[in-house]
Amino acid sequence: MRRLTNKSGYTLMELMVSLVILGMATTLSISGYLLLLKKSNNLSTQLELDMNAQNAIERLKIDLRLSSMNEIYGYPADDPPYEALCFPIASIDPDTGMLPRDPDTLKIIWDRTVVYHVVEGSPDQLRRTSFDYDVDLTDAERQAVLNYIVQQGGAAGLSGIENLESTVIFNNLLNWELKPEGGWISTYSETPGYATISLGYALLQDTENVLEFTAKDSVSSYKLGIDQVMANSSLNYREAELALASRVEFSGGDTPQEQSKAAYGNRHALYYDAKAEGSTLSITIPNDVWELTDFENFSGSGYMERDRTVIKTDYTLDDIVVALEGNETSWMAESQTADFDAFDSTSNLVGATVSILLKGSGVAGGNMINSDGERCKLTFRAAEDSNLHISQIMIGESASSNTTAMAFGSSPETVYFSGSDTVTVPVDQTRTSDWVDLPISKDKNYLVTFQIDHANKLHMWGDYRAYNLSLPTTTRIKNAAGTEFGAYILPALESLFVSYADEGTYTSDIMDTCIDSPLYENFSWLVEFANGSCSFKVRSGNEPDLTDAPAFSSLTAWNATVSESSQIIGSQTGRYIQFQAILNSSTDYLESPLLRKVEINWDGESRMVNMSGKFTTGPDYGDFYVTLNGSALKSAVQVDMEIYEDITMGVNGETQRISSSIKADITPRNSGL
């Protein structure tokens, strides 16, 4: 019997099982798809939020980098972290690529005021509000404008606001903090040297300020060397070592000292070995003072002038001073002739009269007389194997200071040696004359004449500078037979030494106090008089070049017999100030006063300043935190921002919050100057 087979379909049970399996598979597929869709949506939202946060930071960077740290105002005032910032920006000139500057002060011309602030709501907004910059607003008024914008949610209603613009940077602000970054410096370097280092920005008090350095943890050393610091509203440097007298305090480490000849040359510095982390050094700095001690290195308006004075090193004190010109060898035969290896030659000049022109600055190849003096001496040299006997030695001003005319312009002076008008110079030696009462000026020519009474050989310099057949010679010789001729040699005369000039002036740079109508308090100085004298003149005005001030020639000099005086300042009120020192030598012209220091005091402004200093650096110098009046200096603005977006997911309408946070340190690139 055959078994019957059903080939027409599935049983009911099989169908039900298949449907259950299909349903389960469909559910899993839909759940996976929904999960994938959710993740994709989250990722897309996250990427968009990250991009928005980055764009907001970049927008703030662009604005802040066109501003200046000392022009930034925060809300709440002086109480970081801030909720809002207000600062000026300037438009870049499309033709030059530079920021516009005032032609007189060279300060940046600000165009717009920009405020970044939060407007509370549902949701909170980050806004950028801008308007034209008002040059007449005071610091307090700018802070008041910022306060109003933050508290009112915008600038609408503020009087005097022009070309107002307000832009929503983005909605859904979750967190927004702005705070100045604290300052610290590193003076470590692999090799010894020096560096000018920015300390950061801080608010100065209008009288005195305490600048403090605290040693950081170090693997090398804790040494600190400070040459100069700038911590005043006039933005001029102060010698740090001068604070040692009464304005330095320290905690831990060795006693601070004055260091001479620091690593970067002939400079004094304030030296402190902190020894360990946490040791401190504080310097009290007045606001404000113009203190001039390093006359060689002052960088002001560039007006500084000297007339018969010099800036030189006083090696007895390792100090740089102003002194009268002179007290040196002012002319040398080898310099005028360019012959630095003179020769001896058999003499056929016995009985001859020699005339040698000493060149000043008024002739071709001149500038051989390099300093003035009220008196002079002549030095002669004999040959290596022959003594020299000369007589009838005379010196006087040439008849012409711009030609080589070999004639005296006036009656010459007789040159004596120990009171005698003749001299014998031993073999290979020199003899120097007595002082001659003839003033020497580097702007004139002088003539020296003498007769050779005896010399088997003469020490001679070949006059290479004058050797040009188209030019007259600077030596004329008339031999015993009466024949006169020019010669390209200088026999026997080696050098001219001059005393100090009788009087000279040092005219300082023009100092900008950065204050309209300052109240000058005192003028002080440090002068080593010897047997000379020193006096001062002071003038001020409101024009940068002092064209509105009286000429120094019309002012009466104040005799510097004491170390300070408020009377010399008188009723000066001009923003720009300048002094002139008049130095006079001793009655014998052999001593000069030495001007070591000049200081002018006035009350400075309370203002935000970018402070800096000149520091010794090296492998055993360390890192230090820096504060002013107990507050950390500010070198940048730290921005901490977080934004969000709520997205709806699922059939029940539940929401999920996606956020993006970003931090950045932004350093304004302009100083405002």
Side-chain angles (χ1 to χ4, degrees), residues 83-84 116-121 124-127 149-151 153 173 175-176:
E83 299 174 23
Y116 279 82
H117 61 108
V118 177
V119 178
E120 296 182 354
D124 290 348
Q125 293 179 339
L126 176 63
R127 284 191 186 177
I149 291 173
V150 174
Q151 294 164 6
L173 182 67
N175 183 55
W176 166 258

Side-chain angles (χ1 to χ4, degrees), residues 343-391:
F343 59 95
D344 293 343
S345 176
T346 301
S347 172
N348 58 358
L349 298 179
V350 174
T353 299
V354 178
S355 299
I356 300 175
L357 187 72
L358 280 56
K359 295 182 181 179
S361 62
V363 296
N367 291 307
M368 302 308 170
I369 298 174
N370 54 40
S371 58
D372 294 357
E374 196 63 20
R375 298 195 293 168
C376 63
K377 294 180 179 181
L378 295 175
T379 297
F380 292 84
R381 177 174 287 277
E384 290 184 357
D385 55 0
S386 174
N387 60 15
L388 170 69
H389 183 85
I390 55 177
S391 62

